[in-house]
Amino acid sequence: MADLSQKDWTKQLEEDNNSVVLDVRTQDEVDEGVIPNSIHIDIYRGQGFIEEIQKLDKTKSYYVYCRSGNRSGQACAIMNQLGFDSAYNLIGGFNEWRGEVVNQ
């Protein structure tokens, strides 16, 4: 797992053509807006979160965010334990995001 600043996270994401953006916030948080093209799996689902993560392609790179960077850091650690090699945590999370936001 790597903790990346928004600058590094977005730069690396733009250069990575095998990437997935993963939002691990709650549905209420997602309703406030998301980073474009992200998939949503709520980390608070516990075992349900782990089951959903295990369905993902382990060969891809995952750019993970939450509201502040704490839950996404936990999600990256869980993903590493499950055999994901490339999970990147967005430092500061959605709170400090200065890029594009879309409403779903």
Side-chain angles (χ1 to χ4, degrees), residues 37-72:
N37 304 312
S38 59
I39 62 169
H40 174 235
I41 305 175
D42 184 349
I43 194 170
Y44 285 151
R45 291 185 55 213
Q47 186 61 35
F49 172 77
I50 291 170
E51 289 168 5
E52 289 299 311
I53 290 297
Q54 288 178 316
K55 295 176 186 176
L56 299 176
D57 183 346
K58 290 185 170 122
T59 67
K60 293 189 178 290
S61 300
Y62 291 88
Y63 295 81
V64 187
Y65 72 97
C66 65
R67 182 177 291 276
S68 67
N70 291 329
R71 286 173 284 168
S72 51

